[in-house]
Amino acid sequence: GVFQMESAGMTGVCVGLKPQTIEDITAIIALYRPGPMDSIPRFIACKQNPGKITYKHPALKPILSNTYGCIVYQEQVLQIFQQLAGYSLGQADMVRRAMSKKKADVMQQERRHFIYGLYEEDGTCQVKGCVHNGVSEEIASDIFGEMSSFASYAFNKSHAAAYAVVAYQTAYLKCHYPKEFMAALLTSVLDSTSKVTSYIDECARLKIPVLPPDIAQSGMGFT
């Protein structure tokens, strides 16, 4: 009944990660989907042992420190383009969209711009590029490759954070007001016999007896 955290897989990730902040829950919600899911073991390992956190370049540290060196959010992709290669946020978002749609020709062109910059014939600079900012060609290419494979599945943090707050609120209510929470939860799924059955089983696990319907005592929903 905890929002976004009900599945066995998600529960397993929570047990492994031991989230302590809204930031941790936000990351779990963003990571638990095809693509980013591959980063979960590294994310958990780095959270539990900060000595394992590595950055391909020192400039990535302020961007990825909250997520233990892993790229987790679309916003981080935008920041990497902006901070390392000198893109404007608008330019960076255009590339992110191209990445998410896997436009190979655009990607090849943007890889060059990301690494070497984009200059007009009259010398006007559109994008400085990583090499100009002191990031080696090899490292820049490696970072671009990682972002490309990730961007097609990346979640935006603002969405994940809103989910995380609701997940935290439901977990808090279930922990501190279990009877009231389970009554409300069961009432919300009255049209689904399988969910009602599942949540009654959860009540049994929590040692909350669920009484049968009673013409003298029952309400319209669970109480």
Side-chain angles (χ1 to χ4, degrees), residues 138-171:
E138 185 185 353
I139 289 173
S141 182
D142 199 16
I143 292 169
F144 190 90
E146 187 178 340
M147 289 193 296
S148 301
S149 61
F150 170 80
S152 51
Y153 310 100
F155 211 57
N156 60 315
K157 186 175 184 181
S158 53
H159 194 151
Y163 276 11
V165 171
V166 179
Y168 177 79
Q169 289 169 332
T170 50

Side-chain angles (χ1 to χ4, degrees), residues 18-62:
K18 301 179 175 59
Q20 294 164 299
T21 61
I22 293 281
E23 188 85 44
D24 286 344
I25 301 172
T26 304
I28 292 171
I29 288 169
L31 284 168
Y32 198 80
R33 56 201 65 253
M37 199 179 273
D38 297 340
S39 301
I40 290 175
R42 181 183 158 207
F43 188 89
I44 292 175
C46 289
K47 180 186 189 302
Q48 292 174 349
N49 182 359
K52 292 184 176 180
I53 299 172
T54 57
Y55 302 97
K56 289 187 168 78
H57 189 274
L60 291 173
K61 187 173 182 179

Side-chain angles (χ1 to χ4, degrees), residues 115-161:
I115 299 169
Y116 305 110
L118 173 59
Y119 296 86
E120 303 292 350
E121 286 180 9
D122 63 1
T124 309
C125 174
Q126 295 287 340
V127 173
K128 282 185 176 179
C130 286
V131 171
H132 180 276
N133 288 334
V135 181
S136 76
E137 182 182 334
E138 185 185 353
I139 289 173
S141 182
D142 199 16
I143 292 169
F144 190 90
E146 187 178 340
M147 289 193 296
S148 301
S149 61
F150 170 80
S152 51
Y153 310 100
F155 211 57
N156 60 315
K157 186 175 184 181
S158 53
H159 194 151

